[in-house]
Amino acid sequence: MAGDSTASAAADAAPVTAHLEAKVRDRVRQAGLVYWLDREGLYTGVVDNLCRRHRDGTFPVPVVALRGSYLQTMLELDRLFDTVDSAPLLLHLPGHNEETVRSTPLLELVRAGKRFRVSLDSLVSGAATGRVRPDAIQAFLETKPEHLADADAWLASELSEPVGGIATRLELLTPEGVLDQLLGSGQVARLVEDAAGRDALW
């Protein structure tokens, strides 16, 4: 399907971002109302993309993002939900931490929700574990990456390199991980399309 292939291509190009989006979906599924304090605004671009995708019907979680105007944000919340505290929702609050959000008109909503919190290091580790050698992950983290785009570029590059071939890839995965890759048309599925790859898999 065209939608599936587009999503797969996006995940290949930005694998850390894809991992982040999966974590967001899981958190909202578990908690319902979720707020995301993003003091440095590092994830503004990602959230803006999620807003667009929700409007297009390609991202299942409703997203409301503070973009300067509290009034506009509250009107958007009212437009989406009659009782927002009982609805699944991601609320992105760039420029705020636990202290500064207390002086905003969104405090009541924040108190009713659950926080989404994730560091870039944990995103990189979660997205790369089982797909990249542990020493390579550690070496990248020691560069102290500050931007999601850098992490995406690094991991996409690592995953595009056939280091050690299919046998090395398989050694990084648990049996469950191999099955997930095969069923999900992941990189392992592509590497076992020829006879040599199938032999390594067996």
Side-chain angles (χ1 to χ4, degrees):
M1 295 182 182
D4 291 344
S5 61
T6 300
S8 177
D12 289 344
V16 182
T17 296
H19 181 68
L20 171 60
E21 291 179 6
K23 289 182 73 68
V24 168
R25 287 195 303 271
D26 288 346
R27 183 65 171 143
V28 174
R29 188 179 300 117
Q30 294 166 2
L33 173 59
V34 173
Y35 65 95
W36 187 353
L37 301 177
D38 183 9
R39 176 64 175 173
E40 305 302 325
L42 296 178
Y43 301 103
T44 295
V46 172
V47 175
D48 285 345
N49 184 50
L50 295 182
C51 288
R52 287 190 294 271
R53 287 173 53 200
H54 180 68
R55 288 194 296 269
D56 294 342
T58 57
F59 186 71
V61 175
V63 183
V64 174
L66 174 64
R67 295 296 180 261
S69 169
Y70 292 107
L71 177 59
Q72 181 179 352
T73 302
M74 295 173 76
L75 289 173
E76 178 69 8
L77 291 168
D78 287 342
R79 184 186 69 80
L80 285 174
F81 306 107
D82 292 328
T83 55
V84 70
D85 59 346
S86 64
L89 170 74
L90 175 68
L91 175 63
H92 182 237
L93 300 172
H96 286 292
N97 59 23
E98 298 91 336
E99 295 300 320
T100 60
V101 76
R102 294 179 181 177
S103 61
T104 73
L106 298 170
L107 178 60
E108 184 177 349
L109 191 64
V110 166
R111 284 177 170 166
K114 300 293 184 182
R115 185 175 178 180
F116 177 73
R117 187 198 310 247
V118 66
S119 69
L120 185 55
D121 281 7
S122 69
L123 282 175
V124 169
S125 295
T129 297
R131 305 167 78 186
V132 175
R133 296 187 322 275
D135 61 315
I137 298 173
Q138 185 59 36
F140 177 70
L141 293 178
E142 286 174 357
T143 69
K144 301 190 182 304
E146 296 182 354
H147 303 288
L148 188 60
D150 296 334
D152 277 327
W154 168 78
L155 185 52
S157 175
E158 286 287 321
L159 295 178
S160 69
E161 293 291 333
V163 179
I166 180 63
T168 299
R169 292 286 181 201
L170 292 172
E171 287 175 3
L172 292 170
L173 297 170
T174 63
E176 293 82 4
V178 172
L179 183 60
D180 287 344
Q181 285 277 312
L182 293 173
L183 293 177
S185 300
Q187 188 175 38
V188 168
R190 294 192 293 274
L191 290 172
V192 298
E193 290 175 350
D194 59 25
R198 288 191 291 274
D199 287 344
L201 175 62
W202 284 118

